[in-house]
């Protein structure tokens, strides 16, 4: 029995699990109120990312492009940033925050985005937009390093760093959710509200589950305000739920403003949600109320109905964002399932205590592949006889599941081939129920189509 941590032994990537760094920064930008990011690069760096986010959330929102063309790549394209900022401010009178997100091409040519921000602050903003509050924030996200995860992490840090200012203590806690769905934000706010904790949930996109109103406005936006960001320096603590998606910002606040920080756990499953509530209790002194004890009981009851009969010993492959992959693996182990293959691109796993715990604790053979791609999973299934009962991952792996007739539960970003997943939380006790029931129902459908003990469902 072993748990091996190893990098994919092949250069190049076939069928990526992630997209590039600017995508993460764009996801962060949509969580801020009165904000439209400008992506400094070719139009595709926005168009395809925006399409992906839009497919995932089934909503419309705004991100701009500096629309760099061939001449810009040869001679430099900072004039495009100047024009983009001007056009954006003219076109959108409400916009106050403009992250300027670099891409591979503009980082390679060495465009001095910090310099052009200084120039715009001293020139255009003073002359043409005097009296208007505008914040231009350079975010350096070259796509030849990292992935959308590190892009998210960098953008959260740089935006917090830009705004955070020491003032009076506000008695609140900062909550950095990491890459979350609207349903996850609602579930987290519910836990905080049940514990009567005053918290600032940062970069949250709860309102991307938008109503269709009589006014006809269908453009979604995030809810984190400039005041929220400024006040992050005055919180009593920071709770950072995902180590790799906001950890840098939490560390910055701790080092610069001495705000105590707790990192993790990613609250997927009963165990991790328990730890989250315990951490909140430790940070705030607020007790865990009976209402949450009851919710926990309902979740335990739902899981008990499924675990021994259907989920135990099922072999699962999990891919996606590192923190959610680890959270899902921990949850599967608690359900007596067997995660056999974990894949993502995280080189930081070597020092991750959760990976150490997995390596020390599993009683079956398991592989954790860093810098993985979907080809890696496919190869193991088709060439190495990897037997799987279930796949956990986002929609990009759907053909591996379909071609190999393996039931699949969609989790993570992007999920565009199932209805309403962004609305259902994977975190908290509600998320534990949702995930376990999704797994069970996927296995039930598989049993029926393959005529594999489907009669069991008559007598369950
Ligand atoms: S930043 Fe580079 S890798 Fe990412 S979309 Fe733009 S061109 Fe492609």
């Amino acid at each position: 029995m072993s748990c091996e941590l190893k990098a994919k032994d092949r250069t190049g990537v076939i069928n990526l699990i992630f997209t590039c760094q600017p995508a993460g920064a764009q996801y962060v930008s949509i969580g801020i109120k009165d904000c439209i990011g400008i992506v400094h690069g070719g139009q595709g760096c926005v168009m395809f990312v925006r399409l992906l986010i839009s497919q995932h959330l089934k909503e419309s929102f705004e991100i701009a492009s500096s629309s760099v063309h061939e001449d810009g790549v040869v001679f430099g394209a900072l004039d495009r940033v100047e024009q983009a900022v001007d056009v954006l401010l003219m076109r959108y009178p409400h916009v106050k925050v403009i992250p300027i997100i670099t891409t591979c091409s503009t980082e390679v040519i060495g465009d001095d985005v910090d310099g052009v921000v200084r120039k715009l602050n001293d020139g255009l903003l003073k002359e043409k937009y005097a009296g208007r509050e505008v914040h231009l924030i350079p975010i350096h996200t070259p796509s030849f390093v990292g992935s959308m995860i590190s892009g998210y992490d960098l953008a959260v840090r740089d935006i917090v760093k830009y705004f955070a200012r020491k003032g009076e203590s506000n008695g609140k806690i900062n909550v950095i959710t990491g890459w979350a769905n609207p349903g996850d934000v609602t579930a987290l706010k519910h836990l905080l509200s049940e514990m009567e904790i005053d918290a600032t949930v940062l970069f949250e996109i709860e309102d991307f589950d938008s109503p269709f109103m009589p006014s006809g406005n269908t453009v979604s936006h995030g809810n984190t305000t400039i005041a929220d960001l400024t006040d992050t320096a005055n919180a009593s603590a920071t709770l950072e739920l995902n180590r790799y998606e906001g950890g840098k910002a939490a560390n910055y606040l701790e080092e610069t403003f001495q705000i105590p920080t707790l990192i993790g756990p990613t609250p997927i499953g009963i165990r991790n949600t328990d730890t989250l509530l315990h951490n909140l209790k430790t940070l705030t002194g607020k007790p865990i109320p009976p209402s949450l004890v009851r919710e926990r009981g309902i979740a335990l009851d739902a899981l008990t109905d499924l675990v021994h009969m259907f989920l135990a010993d099922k072999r699962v492959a999990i891919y996606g964002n590192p923190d959610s992959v680890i959270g899902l693996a921990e949850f599967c182990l608690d359900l007596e399932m067997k995660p056999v293959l974990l894949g993502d691109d995280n080189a930081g796993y070597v020092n991750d205590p959760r990976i150490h715990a997995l390596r020390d604790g599993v009683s079956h053979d398991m592989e954790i592949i860093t810098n993985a791609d979907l080809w890696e999973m496919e190869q193991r299934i088709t060439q190495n006889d990897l037997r799987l009962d279930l796949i956990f991952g986002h929609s990009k792996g759907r053909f591996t599941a379909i071609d190999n007739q393996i039931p699949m539960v969609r989790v993570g970003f992007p999920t565009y081939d199932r209805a309403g997943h962004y609305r259902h939380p994977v975190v908290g006790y509600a998320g534990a129920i949702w995930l376990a029931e999704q797994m069970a129902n996927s296995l039930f459908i598989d049993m029926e189509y393959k005529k594999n003990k489907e009669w069991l469902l008559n007598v369950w």
Side-chain angles (χ1 to χ4, degrees), residues 19-23 39 41-42 44-46 48-49 102-105 141-144:
T19 185
C20 54
Q21 283 212 112
V39 179
C45 307
V46 173
F48 296 111
V49 171
T102 66
T103 57
C104 50
S105 57
T141 44
S143 57
F144 40 80

Side-chain angles (χ1 to χ4, degrees), residues 139-155:
I139 312 277
H140 292 276
T141 44
S143 57
F144 40 80
V145 289
S147 70
M148 64 188 204
I149 308 301
S150 52
Y152 187 101
D153 204 27
L154 287 171

Side-chain angles (χ1 to χ4, degrees), residues 298-307 310-311 331 335 337 390 392 407-411 421 424-426 429-445 457 460:
I298 290 171
L300 282 176
D301 181 58
L303 301 185
T304 309
D305 293 341
L306 300 170
V307 171
F310 300 109
L311 301 180
F331 185 40
L335 298 178
M337 302 172 76
L390 197 67
F392 250 137
M408 177 176 171
V409 174
R410 271 68 170 172
V411 189
H421 270 223
H424 298 279
V426 298
Y429 299 125
I433 297 174
W434 160 257
L435 284 171
E437 291 181 345
Q438 285 292 302
M439 286 194 279
N441 287 333
S442 302
L443 292 169
F444 294 165
I445 293 167
L457 298 174
W460 173 44

Side-chain angles (χ1 to χ4, degrees), residues 160-172 174 226-238 252-260:
V160 165
K161 206 168 173 176
Y162 177 92
F163 284 109
R165 291 287 176 279
K166 196 69 187 164
E168 289 292 304
S169 169
N170 63 22
K172 294 181 172 184
N174 299 317
I226 291 173
D228 291 336
L229 292 162
T230 306
D231 224 16
T232 50
N234 304 309
S236 53
T238 301
Y252 169 76
L253 289 170
E254 184 163 46
E255 283 163 15
T256 312
F257 302 105
Q258 291 73 52
I259 297 175

Side-chain angles (χ1 to χ4, degrees), residues 34 41 69 74 88 129 177 182-183 191 230 235 246 281 313 346 360-361 404-406 420:
D34 300 329
H69 287 268
V74 175
L88 203 63
Y129 298 99
T177 64
L191 296 176
T230 306
K281 185 179 164 188
D313 287 334
N346 200 305
D360 295 341
N404 296 286
Q405 296 182 29
I406 300 168

Side-chain angles (χ1 to χ4, degrees), residues 274-460:
D274 288 351
T275 309
L276 170 68
L277 297 188
H278 176 76
N279 287 347
L280 285 169
K281 185 179 164 188
T282 308
L283 284 177
T284 64
K286 298 274 176 91
I288 297 168
S291 59
L292 291 182
V293 177
R294 186 168 190 281
E295 278 185 33
R296 182 181 192 274
I298 290 171
L300 282 176
D301 181 58
L303 301 185
T304 309
D305 293 341
L306 300 170
V307 171
H308 289 289
M309 192 95 164
F310 300 109
L311 301 180
D313 287 334
K314 291 290 184 293
R315 295 162 58 84
V316 194
I318 308 171
Y319 63 86
N321 292 19
D323 287 290
S324 73
V325 162
I326 296 174
L328 289 168
E330 291 169 332
F331 185 40
C332 286
L333 285 169
D334 290 347
L335 298 178
E336 299 179 20
M337 302 172 76
K338 291 181 174 165
V340 290
L341 183 67
L342 307 185
D344 67 32
D345 80 338
N346 200 305
Y349 270 1
V350 184
N351 300 317
D352 192 317
R354 297 169 298 176
I355 292 292
H356 291 187
L358 285 177
R359 296 177 79 176
D360 295 341
V362 296
S363 55
H364 62 277
D365 289 330
M366 176 166 141
E367 287 179 294
I368 304 170
I369 314 294
T370 58
N371 196 21
D373 54 19
L374 293 168
W375 179 257
E376 195 73 18
M377 180 169 73
E378 180 109 29
Q379 284 293 99
R380 277 175 167 69
I381 295 168
T382 55
Q383 310 291 323
N384 301 358
D385 292 328
L386 176 69
R387 189 178 65 72
L388 291 175
D389 299 299
L390 197 67
I391 295 174
F392 250 137
H394 56 65
S395 300
K396 292 286 179 189
R398 66 193 298 262
F399 290 112
T400 306
I402 294 167
D403 293 348
N404 296 286
Q405 296 182 29
I406 300 168
M408 177 176 171
V409 174
R410 271 68 170 172
V411 189
F413 176 89
T415 294
Y416 44 74
D417 64 332
R418 288 293 181 274
H421 270 223
Y422 57 85
R423 186 173 296 125
H424 298 279
V426 298
V427 299
Y429 299 125
I433 297 174
W434 160 257
L435 284 171
E437 291 181 345
Q438 285 292 302
M439 286 194 279
N441 287 333
S442 302
L443 292 169
F444 294 165
I445 293 167
D446 190 61
M447 286 159 68
E448 289 167 348
Y449 275 95
K450 291 179 183 163
K451 303 213 172 303
N452 176 18
K453 296 185 188 164
E454 77 287 358
W455 52 266
L456 258 176
L457 298 174
N458 286 329
V459 294
W460 173 44

